[in-house]
């Protein structure tokens, strides 16, 4: 009853393209999923330059997020992200936000959540990591996005 599973919804050749990326190692295995999109409106994308160079992937409800993902929301768009520690971040329209490092391990004290806030707006409700004596930081970054 407490099984963890994910569902993919795709159209046309999109499923085949995702399967091809998975076989090439471009998509991180499910055990590295650190968060999921629980609400979204408009166009929000994610890309992960630490993995194999990849195109920005459009996000939908249930989409997985990984450590080192850069999220970009267009005008009139937003996304609500829920992390494994039950923390929530709402990414507002015209925003750029990076998950710099995220680690949650129920058995040791090395939990950390480090984020780069590049531009735009966001709302944050901390989860277990932000409430504990763990490494938790949101760092404002000046970049070419500003």
């Amino acid at each position: 009853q407490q099984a963890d599973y994910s569902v993919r919804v795709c159209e046309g050749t999109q499923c085949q393209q995702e399967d091809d990326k998975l076989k090439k190692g471009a998509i991180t295995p499910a055990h590295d999923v650190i968060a999921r999109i629980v609400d979204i409106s408009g166009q929000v994308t994610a890309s992960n330059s630490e993995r194999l160079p990849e195109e920005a992937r459009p996000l939908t409800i249930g989409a997985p997020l990984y450590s080192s993902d850069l999220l970009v929301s267009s005008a009139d768009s937003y996304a609500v992200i829920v992390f494994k520690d039950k923390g929530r971040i709402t990414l507002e329209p015209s925003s750029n936000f990076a998950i710099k490092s995220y680690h949650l391990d129920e058995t040791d004290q090395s939990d950390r959540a480090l984020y780069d806030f590049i531009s735009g707006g966001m709302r944050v409700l901390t989860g277990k990591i932000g409430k504990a004596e763990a490494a938790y930081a949101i760092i404002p970054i000046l970049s070419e996005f500003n």
Side-chain angles (χ1 to χ4, degrees):
Q1 289 180 346
Q2 293 190 8
D4 186 21
Y5 64 93
S6 62
V7 176
R8 265 188 351 188
V9 178
C10 50
E11 297 175 357
T13 61
Q14 187 181 14
C15 286
Q16 185 59 47
Q17 290 169 348
E18 287 183 17
D19 288 343
D20 291 345
K21 284 183 181 179
L22 183 60
K23 290 176 187 169
K24 291 178 186 173
I27 296 176
T28 307
H31 66 277
D32 289 336
V33 172
I34 61 161
R36 294 223 181 248
I37 302 293
V38 296
D39 191 15
I40 192 165
S41 177
Q43 183 178 358
V44 181
T45 61
S47 58
N48 192 315
S49 60
E50 198 169 274
R51 312 279 181 214
L52 296 176
E54 67 177 1
E55 296 177 21
R57 58 190 194 275
L59 299 175
T60 59
I61 290 179
L65 295 174
Y66 309 100
S67 196
S68 300
D69 270 354
L70 169 65
L71 283 71
V72 178
S73 65
S74 61
D76 300 323
S77 301
Y78 73 87
V80 179
I81 305 158
V82 175
F83 289 85
K84 288 170 53 175
D85 72 336
K86 308 297 186 225
R88 286 181 173 257
I89 293 178
T90 300
L91 188 64
E92 295 184 355
S94 302
S95 297
N96 295 282
F97 169 76
I99 303 167
K100 188 168 181 104
S101 176
Y102 186 94
H103 176 76
L104 176 67
D105 186 354
E106 299 291 335
T107 61
D108 84 13
Q109 302 298 319
S110 65
D111 296 342
R112 70 183 171 282
L114 304 173
Y115 309 108
D116 287 343
F117 179 64
I118 301 164
S119 67
M122 64 186 226
R123 287 176 273 167
V124 178
L125 292 171
T126 59
K128 176 184 175 240
I129 295 174
K131 292 176 179 140
E133 292 183 30
Y136 184 92
I138 298 174
I139 303 165
I141 302 292
L142 298 175
S143 76
E144 74 263 3
F145 290 109
N146 289 337

